[in-house]
Amino acid sequence: MKALDPTAHALSVNRRAFLTQSAYGLGGMALAGLAQQAQGGVAGAMLKPHLPVKAKRVIFLCMAGGPSHLETFDWKPKLKELDGKPFPESFTKGQQLAQLQGAELTARGAFCDFKKWGQSGQEISELFPNIGSMADDLCIVRSMQTEQINHDTAHAFMNTGSIIKGRPSMGSWLLYGLGCETSDLPGFVVLTSAGKSGQQPVSARQWSAGILPSKYQGIQFQAKGQPVHYLGSPDGVCQSTQRQVVEEVQRLNGMLAEEKLDPEIQTRIAQYEMAFKMQASVPDLTDVKSEPQHILDMYGVKEPGDGSFASNCLLARRMAERGVRMIQLYHRAWDHHGGIVDGMKSAALDVDRATAGLIKDLKQRGMLDDTLILWGGEFGRTPMGQGTGRDHHILAFNVFMAGGGVKPGFSYGATDELGYRAVEDVVHVHDLHTTMLHLLGIDHKRLTVKYQGLDVRLTGVAGNLVKKLIA
């Protein structure tokens, strides 16, 4: 039998004694944190904002698949004149293309017309009349560029600032840094919808917490039916009985946390409590019977909870009212390698009224000022045709923002005369992230997590504040 090492035994006892005999212990600290949450809100790692706060929450309307900037917000009459003719080689020589690499390139002009909207006179495609009617509230960036030419990695880059797996998503960074104003709902919620065509899959890694504790990951709600699986209590189990079970599980987890320093144990403690509270809060969130008909009509909701982008936009507003920090709505309908005319008309019809309705609704409730809306995809589309559509494009695309301290009725940046490359006031994805964090009161260089000896942050080692976008 191996002899007991007295020194090792003493160290073990002392370590265990420290953890178990502390005034609270780690488990007690975790449970104390739950008590704080019960009083309203979940605290973040930042003790106070780095900068003046203009936005309190973000709603990211993600047009998954890469909508063509040439049929949305970037009118190019010269490209229209060149339609059907060889595309100038001077633009593309030596450039990375996706599926058009090595092919004979033909110019493809926009199939739709543009017009100037509102007092600001912003040029927006006639495919989006409702969004166009909100032109004086929009801050359009026409000079975006990204680094990734394939969908999954481009989404990852837009969401996490990196293609390295394990990097936290934008929503996870916000929840980690700022916390949220609710303890009854997740602070980061994701909803998805799909159009008739152009449906690219979107993986759950796009809302992962990565290297952060898993309590900061996005929670996907189902757009149809029960938003959360197993939301109701099992048959024969009443709320008081379930409360007792939860409390006993919490007690056991607390004991484990006192012996083992593992943030996932504290996550488990918090999430058991969250799950119990969600049994009451989620049905209230999704019960839109109290919404008047004119609000449903404003969003274009035909049947609440039907899985449409319109229904998801209405839910997004209700989540924003209840203190959710990050709400991300994916609409999978924009991957138009072919059939772009019918595909974009259909996709635009899916999102146009609902997007405008969300902006109007927030505005009339006094919430637009501190809610930052971001609308856009993971990249743009080539000004060269690909059959009846357009290929992926990383050198030029557009997004727009509204509310949350951005400059309204404002267009920023420009592409060349054929819409091939951003050439004026170029905005990289890292710059967009930097500016969004700034609006939320965060200095992007100071919100970091130590991992493998490095200070990891959303913007990596890049990112410049685009001051002209801020009101």
Side-chain angles (χ1 to χ4, degrees):
M1 186 174 180
K2 186 177 180 180
L4 180 66
D5 183 344
T7 303
H9 176 68
L11 286 173
S12 174
V13 170
N14 290 341
R15 188 185 307 113
R16 193 179 303 115
F18 168 75
L19 291 171
T20 55
Q21 295 175 15
S22 296
Y24 295 100
L26 295 176
M29 290 168 64
L31 292 172
L34 285 177
Q36 180 184 13
Q37 292 176 23
Q39 297 173 6
V42 179
M46 292 169 50
L47 298 178
K48 62 179 182 179
H50 304 144
L51 304 161
V53 176
K54 295 179 180 290
K56 293 182 178 178
R57 65 196 71 85
V58 175
I59 301 177
F60 184 3
L61 307 179
C62 183
M63 303 296 109
S68 165
H69 55 295
L70 302 163
E71 273 90 12
T72 51
F73 304 102
D74 200 6
W75 169 231
K76 294 298 171 186
K78 288 287 185 182
L79 184 63
K80 189 93 166 181
E81 292 174 13
L82 201 61
D83 185 58
K85 298 176 182 178
F87 196 82
E89 186 184 5
S90 59
F91 284 79
T92 61
K93 189 173 182 180
Q95 296 298 313
Q96 181 189 21
L97 302 173
Q99 298 173 24
L100 287 178
Q101 199 78 47
E104 186 176 337
L105 303 178
T106 303
R108 183 182 185 92
F111 68 83
C112 54
D113 293 324
F114 280 62
K115 63 177 283 187
K116 294 185 177 182
W117 300 84
Q119 293 183 351
S120 56
Q122 300 208 80
E123 289 182 325
I124 298 173
S125 164
E126 290 187 345
L127 293 177
F128 302 91
N130 291 286
I131 291 176
S133 72
M134 305 302 296
D136 292 336
D137 292 292
L138 307 184
C139 180
I140 301 173
V141 183
R142 292 195 169 94
S143 53
M144 289 295 304
Q145 288 188 340
T146 185
E147 297 179 5
Q148 298 300 316
I149 205 164
N150 294 311
H151 292 286
D152 186 64
T153 51
H155 274 302
F157 196 69
M158 178 61 81
N159 281 302
T160 72
S162 174
I163 62 169
I164 299 173
K165 291 187 177 181
R167 290 295 187 257
S169 64
M170 188 193 320
S172 296
W173 278 116
L174 295 184
L175 194 56
Y176 167 74
L178 301 175
C180 64
E181 297 173 344
T182 177
S183 59
D184 297 334
L185 290 168
F188 176 15
V189 179
V190 177
L191 289 161
T192 66
S193 55
K196 294 179 181 178
S197 64
Q199 298 179 23
Q200 265 293 326
V202 178
S203 69
R205 82 175 177 119
Q206 305 303 344
W207 48 90
S208 166
I211 61 174
L212 295 173
S214 58
K215 66 181 178 181
Y216 298 116
Q217 73 182 22
I219 304 300
Q220 184 179 1
F221 279 18
Q222 307 303 309
K224 273 187 175 181
Q226 281 277 42
V228 179
H229 295 309
Y230 311 114
L231 191 60
S233 300
D235 292 340
V237 178
C238 65
Q239 284 277 308
S240 59
T241 301
Q242 195 168 353
R243 176 77 264 179
Q244 290 174 349
V245 171
V246 170
E247 288 176 351
E248 181 61 17
V249 171
Q250 302 293 57
R251 186 184 70 82
L252 295 172
N253 280 329
M255 291 172 61
L256 181 61
E258 288 176 348
E259 296 184 358
K260 184 178 180 181
L261 181 59
D262 182 352
E264 289 305 306
I265 298 173
Q266 297 178 36
T267 291
R268 199 179 310 151
I269 291 171
Q271 298 307 68
Y272 264 104
E273 187 68 23
M274 171 70 74
F276 183 77
K277 291 180 177 180
M278 283 171 62
Q279 289 187 317
S281 62
V282 171
D284 176 66
L285 167 72
T286 57
D287 181 9
V288 298
K289 293 178 182 177
S290 60
E291 298 287 348
Q293 187 62 44
H294 76 272
I295 293 292
L296 299 178
D297 292 342
M298 184 166 66
Y299 283 86
V301 174
K302 295 178 181 177
E303 183 65 38
D306 61 2
S308 67
F309 181 78
S311 279
N312 288 350
C313 280
L314 179 56
L315 276 179
R317 190 220 79 207
R318 293 171 67 87
M319 290 179 196
E321 287 179 311
R322 288 161 173 76
V324 178
R325 177 70 66 185
M326 177 76 172
I327 306 154
Q328 195 162 12
L329 273 53
Y330 285 90
H331 189 61
R332 298 166 43 239
W334 301 95
D335 190 24
H336 299 129
H337 292 276
I340 193 170
V341 175
D342 290 339
M344 279 209 67
K345 285 181 179 178
S346 175
L349 193 63
D350 289 341
V351 306
D352 177 47
R353 180 187 287 189
T355 299
L358 176 61
I359 296 171
K360 288 178 189 175
D361 202 5
L362 291 171
K363 190 174 182 179
Q364 71 185 13
R365 294 169 191 270
M367 294 178 62
L368 185 61
D369 287 345
D370 59 7
T371 302
L372 179 62
I373 295 176
L374 172 66
W375 188 104
E378 66 270 35
F379 44 53
R381 291 277 161 177
T382 55
M384 306 85 75
Q386 183 184 24
T388 56
R390 300 184 186 276
D391 200 4
H392 305 174
H393 197 53
I394 63 175
L395 296 179
F397 69 108
N398 42 220
V399 301
F400 76 70
M401 293 180 282
V406 298
K407 195 175 293 184
F410 180 65
S411 295
Y412 184 80
T415 57
D416 57 51
E417 63 181 3
L418 299 183
Y420 183 81
R421 183 191 295 269
V423 294
E424 180 184 316
D425 294 325
V426 177
V427 179
H428 192 276
V429 169
H430 289 314
D431 303 331
L432 179 66
H433 287 161
T434 297
T435 306
M436 292 177 67
L437 292 177
H438 182 93
L439 292 166
L440 287 145
I442 300 171
D443 178 347
H444 73 114
K445 293 181 180 179
R446 295 170 63 186
L447 183 61
T448 65
V449 169
K450 187 72 74 176
Y451 180 70
Q452 295 182 341
L454 298 175
D455 288 326
V456 176
R457 69 186 201 215
L458 175 62
T459 53
V461 295
N464 295 302
L465 176 63
V466 187
K467 294 180 180 179
K468 290 183 180 179
L469 298 179
I470 300 173

